[in-house]
Amino acid sequence: MIRVACDVSFAAPLPGRQEVVTGVGRVIKELLLRLQQIPDLEVKAVGSFGGDWNPVSTSIQAQRWAARLTPRASSMPAYRSRLGLSRLLGPLQVGMESRRHSRSLGLRLLRRLLRLDAASGLNGGGLDVFHATFLPPPDDLPSALPRVVFIHDVYPARFPQHCGASACGTLDTIIRRLDASRDYVICNSEFTQRDFCELAQFPAERVTVAPLAAAAAFSPVLDPARIESLREKYQLGTAPYLLSVANPQPRKNLIPAIHAMRIL
C-alpha cells in the first residue's frame, strides 16, 4: 500500500462560497477521484500549509471539500497546533469567513493569533509520497520523502506582465524547491514539458507527460428542446454564437477567436 498526501487546497472553495471550478481545480478534483479508485493507493487529502496566509482555515476547508466530494475520501490536517488554539478556534475562523466578515477587526486578530499558534503538521509520518497539485510543496517535509509536482504551464515565467505577483511567485518558489534527486514532475503536454525543463534546468527523464482529457459531460448537446431553451434564456435568437469560459488573459486568444467568428 502506497500512502499519498494530495494537496487539494486550490480546488477547495473559500468558506461561504459556492464551489467555483477553475480548469486547474477540475484537474485536481478528477485526480483525487481517480487516485482513490486505485486499490494499492491510500490517498489523504490535505490543505496547503507552506506560505498560506490562513493555513488553519485552508486546511479545514480542504478537508470538508474532500469529504463532500466522495465518501471514500480521507484527509489529514496540514498543520499542528502549538497551544491547542487552532483546534478550538479554527472552526470559528471558518464560520466567520463564511459570513463574509473578512474585514472585521475580530477576524483579523483571530487570523493573526492562529498563524502564531499553527505549525506545519506535514512531517511525513505515515506517508510514502507527497503530491503537490498546484502550489509549492512544503519546504519542511522530510528530505527522504519523495514528492510529485504537477506543472500545468510556465506561462507566468514567460509572460510575467500578464500575470499577478502571486502567480509568478508561486512558480518561482516551485522551481527553487525542486530537487532532481528526490522529485518527479508531471506536465500536461509535451510542450509544457519542454518549456519547463528548459526554464528550470530539470532533467527530462524525471518528467512525465500526462495529457488531459475532457470528461464525458463535455460533449455536444443534440436535444433540440435543450438548445431552444438555452437560446431563449440568453436571448440568442437564431443567430450563431460562440461560447468561451476562459478568463480574459491574453494567452486565451479571445480576440482572435472573436475575429474568426466574425469571418465565419
Side-chain angles (χ1 to χ4, degrees):
M1 182 70 70
I2 301 175
R3 297 159 296 182
V4 181
C6 186
D7 178 14
V8 302
S9 54
F10 194 77
L14 296 175
R17 299 188 183 181
Q18 296 294 324
E19 184 174 355
V20 179
V21 181
T22 63
V24 173
R26 185 177 294 279
V27 170
I28 297 172
K29 176 180 178 180
E30 297 294 335
L31 176 68
L32 182 64
L33 286 171
R34 279 153 180 76
L35 285 177
Q36 291 177 344
Q37 296 173 3
I38 300 176
D40 295 332
L41 285 186
E42 180 184 349
V43 183
K44 298 281 189 181
V46 302
S48 173
F49 183 87
D52 194 280
W53 186 242
N54 296 304
V56 177
S57 174
T58 297
S59 181
I60 292 174
Q61 194 66 10
Q63 291 179 76
R64 291 179 178 179
W65 174 81
R68 291 195 305 268
L69 181 63
T70 168
R72 292 190 58 197
S74 59
S75 58
M76 59 186 294
Y79 66 91
R80 60 179 175 83
S81 179
R82 292 188 174 99
L83 303 174
L85 299 178
S86 298
R87 294 192 184 93
L88 295 174
L89 300 180
L92 175 62
Q93 177 190 356
V94 175
M96 294 178 68
E97 289 174 342
S98 67
R99 293 190 294 273
R100 302 183 183 238
H101 294 165
S102 59
R103 297 186 179 180
S104 69
L105 176 61
L107 181 55
R108 292 202 301 270
L109 292 175
L110 180 60
R111 285 172 172 167
R112 184 178 295 273
L113 177 63
L114 290 179
R115 283 198 297 273
L116 293 174
D117 177 62
S120 176
L122 298 174
N123 58 13
L127 295 177
D128 298 306
V129 180
F130 183 89
H131 185 19
T133 57
F134 181 78
L135 298 173
D139 57 1
D140 54 357
L141 290 172
S143 59
L145 182 68
R147 302 179 302 188
V148 177
V149 180
F150 203 126
I151 300 295
H152 300 270
D153 60 58
V154 295
Y155 184 77
R158 298 303 192 192
F159 300 95
Q161 68 274 20
H162 296 160
C163 302
S166 176
C168 295
T170 294
L171 180 60
D172 181 66
T173 302
I174 290 174
I175 292 175
R176 283 190 290 103
R177 290 185 182 174
L178 281 174
D179 180 353
S181 67
R182 68 183 286 203
D183 295 329
Y184 292 87
V185 170
I186 298 175
C187 293
N188 55 25
S189 71
E190 292 182 0
F191 175 83
T192 297
Q193 180 202 33
R194 293 193 299 270
D195 210 16
F196 166 75
C197 290
E198 177 186 337
L199 177 69
Q201 293 298 295
F202 197 79
E205 61 270 18
R206 295 184 74 88
V207 181
T208 298
V209 176
L212 305 180
F218 296 98
S219 57
V221 175
L222 303 178
D223 182 356
R226 292 181 61 189
I227 295 174
E228 183 59 29
S229 174
L230 181 138
R231 285 185 173 278
E232 291 180 358
K233 179 178 179 179
Y234 294 104
Q235 301 179 5
L236 297 174
T238 59
Y241 63 89
L242 179 69
L243 170 67
S244 172
V245 295
N247 65 46
Q249 288 182 340
R251 62 173 167 164
K252 301 301 182 179
N253 289 327
L254 295 183
I255 292 177
I258 293 172
H259 287 323
M261 180 66 177
R262 183 177 182 179
I263 293 172
L264 289 174

